[in-house]
Amino acid sequence: QVSLVESGGGLVQAGGSLRLSCAASGRTFSSYGMGWFRQAPGKEREFVASITWTSGSVYYDNSVKGRTTISRDVGTNTVSLQMNSLKPEDSGVYYCAAGAGSAYDSQYDYWGQGTQVTVSP
């Protein structure tokens, strides 16, 4: 049973920081890429960042590049998303996913339940 469990969301003022974590279990993820996506109310889910388990190659959406760092801990099967200089437009439900490691949510096989991030002006 594959499980992806996100944590670390919350309410923060603009300019603040949050660190999201995703604990993965239930299978070997070495051949997978891990991605973070977000969805704001009334909007489609959008790509934030991704990382490959083996090489650690990272990819960021332009909207978060320079403010966000994705990392993974192979020993604990955890993927983290450090977000700095947060803006109100960063608000939404953040999802962790395992799959191709691309920017396309259709290429991911497993999803977490999501964690809410709210950035106040």
Side-chain angles (χ1 to χ4, degrees), residues 16-74:
S17 299
L18 279 176
R19 185 177 181 86
L20 307 183
S21 294
C22 173
S25 63
R27 65 160 296 147
T28 301
F29 290 94
S30 58
S31 62
Y32 279 74
M34 302 297 293
W36 284 96
F37 290 78
R38 66 188 180 191
Q39 188 168 22
K43 295 188 177 181
E44 292 189 354
R45 187 163 54 191
E46 62 180 11
F47 172 77
V48 177
S50 66
I51 188 169
T52 57
W53 274 114
T54 49
S55 66
S57 297
V58 300
Y59 181 50
Y60 298 98
D61 184 77
N62 285 337
S63 65
V64 302
K65 194 175 293 183
R67 304 186 291 121
T68 299
T69 302
I70 188 171
S71 61
R72 88 273 191 249
D73 185 327
V74 177

Side-chain angles (χ1 to χ4, degrees), residues 41-121:
K43 295 188 177 181
E44 292 189 354
R45 187 163 54 191
E46 62 180 11
F47 172 77
V48 177
S50 66
I51 188 169
T52 57
W53 274 114
T54 49
S55 66
S57 297
V58 300
Y59 181 50
Y60 298 98
D61 184 77
N62 285 337
S63 65
V64 302
K65 194 175 293 183
R67 304 186 291 121
T68 299
T69 302
I70 188 171
S71 61
R72 88 273 191 249
D73 185 327
V74 177
T76 61
N77 263 13
T78 302
V79 178
S80 297
L81 189 72
Q82 177 67 43
M83 300 187 295
N84 302 320
S85 302
L86 283 163
K87 306 174 183 179
E89 52 263 44
D90 292 319
S91 297
V93 178
Y94 281 68
Y95 297 93
C96 173
S102 71
Y104 303 99
D105 57 1
S106 61
Q107 296 180 353
Y108 286 78
D109 301 315
Y110 304 104
W111 291 85
Q113 83 288 347
T115 185
Q116 177 71 47
V117 171
T118 303
V119 184
S120 62

